Amino acid sequence: MSALELVERKKRGGSLSRSEISSLVDGFTRGHIPDYQMAAFLMAVWFRGLDAGETLALTESMMRSGRVLDLARIPGPKIDKHSTGGVGDKVSLPLIGIAMACGVRVPMLSGRALGHTGGTLDKLESIPGYVTAFDAERYERLLRHPGGTIVGQSDDLVPADRDLYALRDVTATVDCVPLIVASILSKKFAAGVDGVVLDVKVGSGAFMRDMEQARELARALVAVGAAFGRPVSVLFTRMDEPLGEAVGNAVEVVEAVEFLRGGGPEDLREVTFVLVAEMLRMGGLAASAEEGVSKARAACGDGSALACFRALVEGHGGRLDWDAPGCGLDVAPVAASLTAPRRASLAAVDGRQLGLAVVDLGGGRKRKQDLIDARVGLRWRARIGDVLEAGAPVADILAPPGMAVDAVRRRVEAALTWSDAAPPGAARVLGRYPDAG
Ligand code: URA
């Protein structure tokens, strides 16, 4: 069967066999199937979906597009966490330091910015010298000591996800349950994890806009995990407004380090601690979520989490000025500030528009070949439910001198809904799957 015939069949709602899916993934990864045919396939999947067997076959073919690492000889639980993507979601950076300090080994295979959401690899590359390319010797060495590593897909580690991910980013095919499942779990299982904790983001700044879609994604993730014989658990967290204050690349690294120093915004701390606690439970290092959270807090308080994160960054060649304000990173100055138009409460935020504002500034990609400007971003200074006086700060736009930011400013303004009634502030952690029993 030619790729064209398979695209045609999926377009009409037919199903594909395991070997047909494998031939598509293989042909694309080897460069025999061009981007335009694969983009058509992805769009056909977006409209027609994949059944459980096809989703499993896609995950497996993508995982086997490169090496599948076996970490059995490294002692201790190897657990990773992955987010389905959000705005200002820098959780992976502090989380890995905390989890390592608590005794989990974290082989983290991350991605780049996707759609309007940021990517851990792009954030790390704002650190001078940090090498995100996978290198087998360094990977194993850092996993043994200090106990964690963050790398990207490569020619020999899930190249299919690297290439499909980049194509989905620019073809509006990201928000699709089977494609997300295969993308995330092919990476994680190729990286050699024992289990994965997933942060499924829900809301206007996420790919899953409501709890129904989020539950569908969670069920599919847990089912594919079970088929691979590995535990997958899901926490649902709210993603309509940014998590924390910093949105961008370098600014998010700075906020992550502030967090590990014992500061950082409360919502970021809450979500991170809950996710670490789940990793500890999965790895048999905490008997309950409460015990996990208190271990995580302690690792932040005694400096061990920061020491682990620092060793990880330096192990990848990264150079940060750890004691300087802003870690010595190049962050763009405030080019414009948004303030409350009158005394009112912030009732709702369209998080997707905030993410797109950062893409407009150059902090994300519109085409595959685009380079990212790590300096730009937003500083998010209000929270949904806050009652603000007229003129109170809401957001700063960070952009290099001379860059026109009027359109970005209008986009951010249009993303905000004000109300005279005070809506209740909403919880960040919305639930879990499977339910704790
Ligand atoms: N994260 C991934 O790795 N892949 C997706 O498709 C979405 C979020």
Side-chain angles (χ1 to χ4, degrees), residues 82-86 109-112 114 117 153 161 165 168 173-185 187-188 198 207 217:
H82 197 84
S83 154
T84 56
L109 189 43
S110 291
R112 298 194 175 278
L114 200 52
T117 68
Q153 315 97 320
D161 182 53
Y165 195 95
R168 287 168 60 215
T173 50
V174 175
D175 52 345
C176 172
V177 166
L179 297 180
I180 295 176
V181 170
S183 165
I184 294 179
L185 294 184
K187 281 198 274 296
K188 301 293 148 182
L198 284 153
F207 295 118
L217 176 59

Short mmCIF file of all heavy atoms in Angstrom, two decimals, residues 82-86 109-112 114 117 153 161 165 168 173-185 187-188 198 207 217, ligand 1:
data_model
loop_
_atom_site.label_atom_id
_atom_site.label_comp_id
_atom_site.label_asym_id
_atom_site.label_seq_id
_atom_site.Cartn_x
_atom_site.Cartn_y
_atom_site.Cartn_z
N HIS A 82 5.45 14.10 32.78
CA HIS A 82 5.32 14.81 31.51
C HIS A 82 4.03 15.61 31.54
O HIS A 82 3.02 15.14 32.05
CB HIS A 82 5.30 13.82 30.35
CG HIS A 82 5.58 14.46 29.03
ND1 HIS A 82 6.85 14.70 28.57
CD2 HIS A 82 4.75 14.91 28.07
CE1 HIS A 82 6.80 15.26 27.38
NE2 HIS A 82 5.52 15.40 27.05
N SER A 83 4.10 16.80 30.98
CA SER A 83 2.90 17.64 30.92
C SER A 83 2.37 17.62 29.50
O SER A 83 3.14 17.53 28.54
CB SER A 83 3.29 19.06 31.33
OG SER A 83 2.41 19.99 30.76
N THR A 84 1.04 17.74 29.36
CA THR A 84 0.49 17.80 28.01
C THR A 84 0.62 19.19 27.42
O THR A 84 0.21 19.41 26.29
CB THR A 84 -0.99 17.36 28.01
OG1 THR A 84 -1.70 18.18 28.94
CG2 THR A 84 -1.12 15.91 28.41
N GLY A 85 1.19 20.12 28.17
CA GLY A 85 1.53 21.41 27.57
C GLY A 85 0.67 22.54 28.08
O GLY A 85 -0.55 22.44 28.15
N GLY A 86 1.35 23.63 28.45
CA GLY A 86 0.62 24.77 28.97
C GLY A 86 1.42 26.05 28.77
O GLY A 86 2.46 26.06 28.11
N LEU A 109 12.85 12.72 28.95
CA LEU A 109 12.96 12.98 27.51
C LEU A 109 11.86 13.99 27.19
O LEU A 109 10.68 13.67 27.25
CB LEU A 109 12.77 11.66 26.77
CG LEU A 109 13.04 11.59 25.29
CD1 LEU A 109 14.30 12.33 24.92
CD2 LEU A 109 13.19 10.14 24.87
N SER A 110 12.27 15.22 26.89
CA SER A 110 11.30 16.32 26.78
C SER A 110 11.13 16.78 25.35
O SER A 110 11.84 16.32 24.45
CB SER A 110 11.77 17.51 27.62
OG SER A 110 11.68 17.19 28.97
N GLY A 111 10.23 17.75 25.18
CA GLY A 111 9.97 18.27 23.84
C GLY A 111 10.18 19.77 23.74
O GLY A 111 10.51 20.43 24.74
N ARG A 112 10.01 20.25 22.54
CA ARG A 112 10.12 21.69 22.29
C ARG A 112 8.74 22.33 22.37
O ARG A 112 7.75 21.63 22.56
CB ARG A 112 10.73 21.93 20.91
CG ARG A 112 12.12 21.36 20.83
CD ARG A 112 12.90 21.83 19.64
NE ARG A 112 14.25 21.30 19.77
CZ ARG A 112 15.21 21.85 20.51
NH1 ARG A 112 14.98 22.98 21.14
NH2 ARG A 112 16.39 21.29 20.62
N LEU A 114 5.26 23.62 21.54
CA LEU A 114 4.29 22.98 20.66
C LEU A 114 3.07 23.90 20.61
O LEU A 114 2.49 24.21 21.66
CB LEU A 114 3.93 21.62 21.27
CG LEU A 114 3.32 20.54 20.40
CD1 LEU A 114 4.13 20.28 19.15
CD2 LEU A 114 3.18 19.24 21.20
N THR A 117 2.05 26.46 23.35
CA THR A 117 2.64 26.08 24.65
C THR A 117 4.17 26.07 24.57
O THR A 117 4.74 25.86 23.50
CB THR A 117 2.15 24.69 25.09
OG1 THR A 117 2.71 23.70 24.21
CG2 THR A 117 0.64 24.59 25.05
N GLN A 153 14.56 14.30 21.83
CA GLN A 153 14.58 13.22 20.84
C GLN A 153 15.77 13.48 19.90
O GLN A 153 16.20 14.61 19.74
CB GLN A 153 13.30 13.23 20.00
CG GLN A 153 12.00 13.40 20.79
CD GLN A 153 11.54 14.84 20.80
OE1 GLN A 153 12.32 15.77 20.92
NE2 GLN A 153 10.23 15.05 20.69
N ASP A 161 9.15 10.73 16.84
CA ASP A 161 8.44 11.76 17.61
C ASP A 161 9.04 13.13 17.33
O ASP A 161 8.31 14.11 17.18
CB ASP A 161 8.46 11.47 19.11
CG ASP A 161 7.66 12.53 19.87
OD1 ASP A 161 6.49 12.75 19.51
OD2 ASP A 161 8.20 13.16 20.80
N TYR A 165 6.40 15.60 15.81
CA TYR A 165 6.13 16.70 16.75
C TYR A 165 6.32 18.04 16.04
O TYR A 165 5.48 18.93 16.11
CB TYR A 165 7.14 16.52 17.88
CG TYR A 165 6.95 17.24 19.17
CD1 TYR A 165 6.31 16.62 20.25
CD2 TYR A 165 7.48 18.51 19.37
CE1 TYR A 165 6.20 17.26 21.47
CE2 TYR A 165 7.37 19.15 20.59
CZ TYR A 165 6.72 18.52 21.64
OH TYR A 165 6.62 19.14 22.85
N ARG A 168 3.51 18.47 13.51
CA ARG A 168 2.22 18.79 14.14
C ARG A 168 2.20 20.23 14.62
O ARG A 168 1.17 20.90 14.56
CB ARG A 168 1.97 17.84 15.32
CG ARG A 168 1.61 16.43 14.89
CD ARG A 168 1.67 15.48 16.06
NE ARG A 168 0.76 15.84 17.12
CZ ARG A 168 1.00 15.66 18.43
NH1 ARG A 168 2.13 15.13 18.84
NH2 ARG A 168 0.12 16.02 19.33
N THR A 173 -2.24 20.21 14.22
CA THR A 173 -2.66 18.85 14.51
C THR A 173 -2.16 18.38 15.89
O THR A 173 -1.93 17.20 16.11
CB THR A 173 -2.17 17.87 13.42
OG1 THR A 173 -0.78 18.08 13.19
CG2 THR A 173 -2.92 18.05 12.13
N VAL A 174 -1.99 19.35 16.78
CA VAL A 174 -1.47 18.98 18.10
C VAL A 174 -2.59 18.44 19.00
O VAL A 174 -2.42 17.41 19.66
CB VAL A 174 -0.80 20.20 18.78
CG1 VAL A 174 -0.38 19.85 20.19
CG2 VAL A 174 0.40 20.66 17.97
N ASP A 175 -3.74 19.10 19.00
CA ASP A 175 -4.78 18.78 19.98
C ASP A 175 -5.61 17.57 19.56
O ASP A 175 -6.79 17.67 19.23
CB ASP A 175 -5.68 20.00 20.21
CG ASP A 175 -6.23 20.56 18.91
OD1 ASP A 175 -5.71 20.21 17.84
OD2 ASP A 175 -7.21 21.33 18.97
N CYS A 176 -4.99 16.42 19.59
CA CYS A 176 -5.61 15.20 19.08
C CYS A 176 -5.19 14.06 20.01
O CYS A 176 -3.99 13.77 20.15
CB CYS A 176 -5.10 14.98 17.66
SG CYS A 176 -5.58 13.42 16.96
N VAL A 177 -6.18 13.44 20.67
CA VAL A 177 -5.86 12.49 21.74
C VAL A 177 -4.89 11.38 21.30
O VAL A 177 -3.84 11.20 21.93
CB VAL A 177 -7.16 11.92 22.37
CG1 VAL A 177 -6.89 10.70 23.21
CG2 VAL A 177 -7.84 13.01 23.20
N PRO A 178 -5.16 10.62 20.24
CA PRO A 178 -4.23 9.51 19.93
C PRO A 178 -2.83 10.01 19.56
O PRO A 178 -1.84 9.34 19.86
CB PRO A 178 -4.88 8.78 18.76
CG PRO A 178 -5.94 9.68 18.24
CD PRO A 178 -6.34 10.60 19.35
N LEU A 179 -2.75 11.18 18.93
CA LEU A 179 -1.41 11.70 18.57
C LEU A 179 -0.66 12.13 19.82
O LEU A 179 0.57 11.95 19.92
CB LEU A 179 -1.53 12.86 17.57
CG LEU A 179 -2.16 12.51 16.21
CD1 LEU A 179 -2.21 13.75 15.31
CD2 LEU A 179 -1.40 11.38 15.51
N ILE A 180 -1.36 12.71 20.78
CA ILE A 180 -0.70 13.11 22.03
C ILE A 180 -0.24 11.86 22.79
O ILE A 180 0.89 11.80 23.28
CB ILE A 180 -1.65 13.97 22.90
CG1 ILE A 180 -1.96 15.29 22.20
CG2 ILE A 180 -1.04 14.22 24.27
CD1 ILE A 180 -2.97 16.18 22.93
N VAL A 181 -1.11 10.86 22.87
CA VAL A 181 -0.76 9.64 23.60
C VAL A 181 0.50 9.01 22.99
O VAL A 181 1.47 8.69 23.70
CB VAL A 181 -1.93 8.62 23.54
CG1 VAL A 181 -1.49 7.27 24.09
CG2 VAL A 181 -3.12 9.15 24.32
N ALA A 182 0.50 8.85 21.67
CA ALA A 182 1.64 8.18 21.02
C ALA A 182 2.91 9.01 21.18
O ALA A 182 4.00 8.47 21.41
CB ALA A 182 1.32 7.93 19.55
N SER A 183 2.76 10.33 21.07
CA SER A 183 3.93 11.19 21.19
C SER A 183 4.55 11.08 22.58
O SER A 183 5.76 10.87 22.74
CB SER A 183 3.50 12.64 20.89
OG SER A 183 4.48 13.55 21.31
N ILE A 184 3.71 11.21 23.58
CA ILE A 184 4.25 11.22 24.95
C ILE A 184 4.80 9.84 25.32
O ILE A 184 5.94 9.71 25.78
CB ILE A 184 3.17 11.64 25.97
CG1 ILE A 184 2.76 13.10 25.74
CG2 ILE A 184 3.68 11.45 27.40
CD1 ILE A 184 1.68 13.62 26.67
N LEU A 185 3.99 8.81 25.13
CA LEU A 185 4.42 7.51 25.67
C LEU A 185 5.51 6.85 24.83
O LEU A 185 6.34 6.11 25.37
CB LEU A 185 3.20 6.60 25.86
CG LEU A 185 2.24 7.11 26.95
CD1 LEU A 185 1.09 6.13 27.17
CD2 LEU A 185 2.94 7.38 28.29
N LYS A 187 8.04 8.38 23.63
CA LYS A 187 9.26 8.99 24.19
C LYS A 187 9.61 8.37 25.52
O LYS A 187 10.75 8.01 25.78
CB LYS A 187 9.03 10.48 24.50
CG LYS A 187 9.08 11.43 23.41
CD LYS A 187 9.27 12.86 23.93
CE LYS A 187 8.01 13.58 24.31
NZ LYS A 187 7.07 13.86 23.25
N LYS A 188 8.61 8.31 26.37
CA LYS A 188 8.88 7.88 27.75
C LYS A 188 9.35 6.42 27.78
O LYS A 188 10.28 6.08 28.51
CB LYS A 188 7.61 8.05 28.61
CG LYS A 188 7.11 9.45 28.65
CD LYS A 188 8.07 10.38 29.38
CE LYS A 188 8.05 11.77 28.84
NZ LYS A 188 8.98 12.69 29.48
N LEU A 198 1.58 11.83 34.63
CA LEU A 198 1.22 12.82 33.61
C LEU A 198 0.44 13.97 34.20
O LEU A 198 -0.47 13.77 35.02
CB LEU A 198 0.39 12.13 32.53
CG LEU A 198 1.35 11.33 31.66
CD1 LEU A 198 0.66 10.17 31.03
CD2 LEU A 198 1.97 12.22 30.62
N PHE A 207 -4.28 21.99 25.51
CA PHE A 207 -4.85 21.35 24.32
C PHE A 207 -6.18 20.70 24.65
O PHE A 207 -7.01 20.52 23.77
CB PHE A 207 -3.86 20.34 23.73
CG PHE A 207 -2.62 21.01 23.23
CD1 PHE A 207 -1.38 20.72 23.77
CD2 PHE A 207 -2.70 21.98 22.24
CE1 PHE A 207 -0.23 21.37 23.33
CE2 PHE A 207 -1.56 22.63 21.79
CZ PHE A 207 -0.33 22.33 22.33
N LEU A 217 -8.36 11.71 27.29
CA LEU A 217 -6.91 11.58 27.12
C LEU A 217 -6.31 10.72 28.24
O LEU A 217 -5.48 9.83 27.98
CB LEU A 217 -6.28 12.99 27.11
CG LEU A 217 -4.76 13.03 27.04
CD1 LEU A 217 -4.23 12.35 25.78
CD2 LEU A 217 -4.25 14.49 27.07
N1 URA B 1 3.67 16.66 24.84
C1 URA B 1 4.19 15.77 23.95
O1 URA B 1 5.28 15.26 24.15
N2 URA B 1 3.50 15.48 22.87
C2 URA B 1 2.30 15.99 22.61
O2 URA B 1 1.72 15.65 21.60
C3 URA B 1 1.75 16.91 23.52
C4 URA B 1 2.45 17.23 24.63
#
